[in-house]
Amino acid sequence: MQETKLDPWGSSRIEDYDKLYSAFGISHFNPLLKRIPSPMRYMRRNIIFGHRDYEGVLDAILGQKKFAVMSGFMPSGEVHLGHKMVMEEIIWHQERGGSAHFAVADMEAHSVRGVSWKDCKKIGDDYILSLIALGFKPSGRIYFQSKDSDVKDLAFELGSEVNFSEMSAIYGLTNEAHVSHMLSAVVQSADILAPQLEKFGGPKPVVIPVGADQDPHIRLTRDIASRARKLTVNSREDHIRIDVKTKDDIDAMKDIERKFKKNKTGLHELHLDIYGAKYEEVAEVADKAEIKIGGYAFTPPSSLYHRFMSGLTGGKMSSSVPESYIALTEPPNDAAAKVRKAKTGGRATAAEQRNLGGVPEECVVYELMLFHLIEDDDKIEDIYKECKGGKRTCDSCKGYAANLVFQFLKKHQDDRENAKRRLKEYGIKYE
Ligand code: TRP
Ligand code: SF4
């Protein structure tokens, strides 16, 4: 018999993500798992597969230091299970002490997808209800890009750090690309960096949970964050070195030098060397000094990447094929019916199924349970083993999953109704 690797968290499509590690420098998430206190379902199950710089956020969680979580969506199409993943990741970090920020990317939807402002508001409100229903707390910040002057002002500033050819290389823009399309890209960078504004508690690690398709935005924003720095701190062999870009900012260096009076220091035209000090200590002082001279002292944002569920009909989920996804707002009965029709990893006949077992790695129903419907790891492992061992029939398995989807949606939709009454706590007007 052919040897197959048994892994309830695996998927036949996971290889698609492998190249992201080598090609773009995304790190594997798995090695961090054991350091994470009560990791969430997507972490435990390898659904969050990669990250950039998540260590900084993890250190903040463990050391109870300040950090933030931020993400957002373009309001286009119905709110569905894919959105739920990001929402749950935001909420998980909020529960661990992070300040939480959620953007409705209406400027992006309007400029890139041509969604009218009226629809942006309507769809955005719908997303917000699900976010709150899933457990987002009122201490967090929810906003529409077009209504947020902090974000818009910051976007204008950040725009000085990127030029047209860079934008077009990253986003594949042609000469015909509209200016507002480009603008919406810097607005997204502003979304990501705004949690580090003084107003929101200053520089700190910020994690952006997103689908892997959003990585170009993250990379660009990390570059912008570094470029916007007035002071840069680097560890050298036997000292710490701080550089400034212009002589105008040398006063900040003098400030820092004074704080390290006890240490041996050397102030040069555009840099300062400090001996016998810890990196973290110098970095913190440098952040304060940078803010004093009007800088932002951004920490490059971190990110988490999750893989996507397949469409219920096989292939990709697509908003233009309603049978391929489950909307959080659709009638629970309709959703259950979609599950009963979904593509499974079952065999052609019942006898084959009994003898060979099913293929959960290629089963959308299994994926649905793994991603969304079953919280208990032992339970999902049992299902996996039963399927592999030919002890489940797809018909009853689909019925089981359909019922779970029904229950989940019913509760979620009740919670959305409750959320409607609580919008004021979040500072939101709902029409
Ligand atoms: N570009 C994202 C999308 O296509 C939406 C978005 C806007 C976003 N600002 C963000 C995502 C900030 C993460 C962080 O849906
Ligand atoms: Fe999928 Fe369940 Fe059939 Fe296994 S038994 S292939 S998990 S539907």
Side-chain angles (χ1 to χ4, degrees), residues 197-230:
L197 293 174
E198 278 279 87
K199 180 169 177 181
F200 300 118
K204 58 175 131 343
V206 182
V207 59
I208 319 296
V210 280
D213 62 317
Q214 297 293 312
D215 187 53
H217 286 298
I218 303 288
R219 268 183 294 151
L220 175 67
T221 308
R222 285 169 59 85
D223 278 350
I224 291 180
S226 315
R227 286 178 211 162
R229 292 261 357 191
K230 288 179 184 283

Side-chain angles (χ1 to χ4, degrees), residues 375-423:
E375 185 61 41
D376 183 351
D377 287 351
D378 291 337
K379 176 77 195 157
I380 194 86
E381 284 204 59
D382 283 348
I383 293 176
Y384 178 83
K385 284 185 196 143
E386 281 173 22
C387 174
K388 281 262 173 206
K391 295 196 184 70
R392 287 179 90 82
T393 63
C394 292
D395 260 355
S396 68
C397 191
K398 280 194 281 189
Y400 177 74
N403 183 43
L404 290 176
V405 162
F406 181 93
Q407 302 299 339
F408 165 72
L409 286 183
K410 217 163 136 4
K411 167 155 191 322
H412 183 66
Q413 291 168 14
D414 283 350
D415 292 343
R416 281 175 54 97
E417 283 307 310
N418 287 332
K420 274 185 195 159
R421 279 177 247 120
R422 295 179 49 221
L423 284 169

